[in-house]
């Protein structure tokens, strides 16, 4: 998502980084300043460090991530980034001879570390950081309180929530879902802009969060543990092949 402000623009999640997203935004005229104004600073915020959200941070001068995942980003930890890309997922390779199996999220030093309650000011609008672990340990949502918009990353989207990756945690996810339901109960969210799939409203947000909580029983925990073990082994094998 590109959120434009009077003093700063923010890109929420930076994609894979196969090409420069800032270059594309400028070429498309999406960062053009108002008449007589100078170019605004551009900040990229990764809602978490998974490869499809953090891979493009390398192209931005300013990048932010929650402090819980800053070390993984800094060392280019592709296990925690759950890097797993196939050829069929890439419509057009970035250069001749490029292969998906060689894709890596490079080490990036974030210029800003985020914590619960931090406010990212764009001038005429403010985005409040909500630490919502569960999908990953550093997952965040950004809440535009004035407009009642929630940028939810992968914390919640209109699909099945993924809680079986390395550093996923069901108990954390349940607490995060309780917070999402509270936002709806208090009338603080009317529109959700997620990291994947379609935009949806408060009623759907409440249903997705409550359904997750109701299904997070013993059977779910056992099956999730098995899936996490398989995913962990597969990711370690994949990343060892890439680095060897």
């Amino acid at each position: 998502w590109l959120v434009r402000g009077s003093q700063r623009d923010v890109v929420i999640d930076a994609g894979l980084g196969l090409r420069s997203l800032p270059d594309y935004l400028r070429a498309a005229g999406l960062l053009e300043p108002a008449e007589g104004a100078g170019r605004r600073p551009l900040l990229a915020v990764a809602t978490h460090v998974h490869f499809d959200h953090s891979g493009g941070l390398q192209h931005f001068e300013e990048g932010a991530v929650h402090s819980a995942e800053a070390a993984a980003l800094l060392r280019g930890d592709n296990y925690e980034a759950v890097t797993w890309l196939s050829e069929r997922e890439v419509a057009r390779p970035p250069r001749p001879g490029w292969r998906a199996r060689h894709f890596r999220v490079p080490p990036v030093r974030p210029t800003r570390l985020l914590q619960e309650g931090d406010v990212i000011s764009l001038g005429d609008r403010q985005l409040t950081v909500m630490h919502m672990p569960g999908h990953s340990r550093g997952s965040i949502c950004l809440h535009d309180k004035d407009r009642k918009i929630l940028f939810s990353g992968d914390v919640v989207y209109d699909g099945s929530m993924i809680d079986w990756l390395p550093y996923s945690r069901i108990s954390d996810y349940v607490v995060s879902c309780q917070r999402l339901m509270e936002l709806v109960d208090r009338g603080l969210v009317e529109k959700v802009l997620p990291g994947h799939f379609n935009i949806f409203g408060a009623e759907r947000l409440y249903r997705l969060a409550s359904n997750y909580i109701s299904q997070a029983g013993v059977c779910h925990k056992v099956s999730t543990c098995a899936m996490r073990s398989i995913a962990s082994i597969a990711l370690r094998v994949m990343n060892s092949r890439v680095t060897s």
Side-chain angles (χ1 to χ4, degrees):
W1 300 101
L2 171 63
V3 187
R4 301 191 66 183
S6 60
Q7 298 177 11
R8 175 185 293 277
D9 294 337
V10 170
V11 169
I12 301 174
D13 288 328
L16 294 170
L18 298 185
R19 296 176 179 83
S20 171
L21 182 54
D23 287 352
Y24 167 78
L25 293 173
R26 293 189 182 102
L30 295 172
L31 298 177
E32 288 299 317
E35 187 174 349
R39 178 174 288 178
R40 295 177 300 277
L42 178 63
L43 172 69
V45 178
T47 58
H48 58 303
V49 297
H50 289 169
F51 74 104
D52 53 332
H53 297 257
S54 69
L57 289 178
Q58 60 180 307
H59 299 300
F60 290 82
E61 294 181 4
E62 297 183 65
V65 69
H66 190 272
S67 60
E69 294 179 340
L73 187 63
L74 184 59
R75 65 176 176 267
D77 187 338
N78 278 258
Y79 173 75
E80 185 158 355
V82 297
T83 300
W84 189 290
L85 187 64
S86 66
E87 301 288 341
R88 67 177 180 276
E89 294 173 299
V90 180
R92 183 164 57 91
R95 59 185 178 275
W98 181 90
R99 294 292 179 268
R101 66 178 180 273
H102 296 143
F103 172 79
R104 300 277 290 174
V105 177
V108 174
R109 181 179 295 277
T111 59
R112 181 171 178 179
L113 302 184
L114 302 174
Q115 301 281 2
E116 167 73 26
D118 285 353
V119 176
I120 300 172
S121 177
L122 284 67
D124 58 344
R125 63 193 302 180
Q126 318 297 320
L127 302 176
T128 301
V129 176
M130 302 184 70
H131 183 208
M132 296 281 206
H135 178 69
S136 74
R137 57 182 171 180
S139 284
I140 63 170
C141 295
L142 295 176
H143 188 202
D144 185 333
K145 295 180 180 179
D146 293 336
R147 292 167 175 80
K148 298 185 178 182
I149 295 173
L150 187 72
F151 297 92
S152 65
D154 281 3
V155 173
V156 59
Y157 48 76
D158 201 357
S160 179
M161 297 183 191
I162 295 177
D163 58 4
W164 42 265
L165 295 169
Y167 303 103
S168 297
R169 190 172 179 178
I170 294 174
S171 59
D172 286 343
Y173 225 146
V174 168
V175 173
S176 293
C177 285
Q178 290 170 341
R179 294 189 69 192
L180 293 172
M181 293 167 66
E182 182 182 355
L183 288 174
V184 177
D185 285 336
R186 295 170 59 193
L188 299 177
V189 171
E190 294 180 351
K191 183 182 293 185
V192 181
L193 278 59
H196 301 275
F197 309 129
N198 299 322
I199 296 170
F200 53 93
E203 183 179 345
R204 182 61 176 160
L205 172 61
Y206 192 95
R207 188 179 303 117
L208 288 166
S210 61
N211 284 348
Y212 180 84
I213 293 173
S214 66
Q215 295 169 8
V218 174
C219 291
H220 178 77
K221 291 177 180 177
V222 171
S223 62
T224 297
C225 183
M227 292 177 66
R228 182 181 296 113
S229 297
I230 294 170
S232 179
I233 292 170
L235 283 166
R236 291 201 182 280
V237 169
M238 173 63 71
N239 282 293
S240 66
R241 285 177 178 173
V242 171
T243 56
S244 60

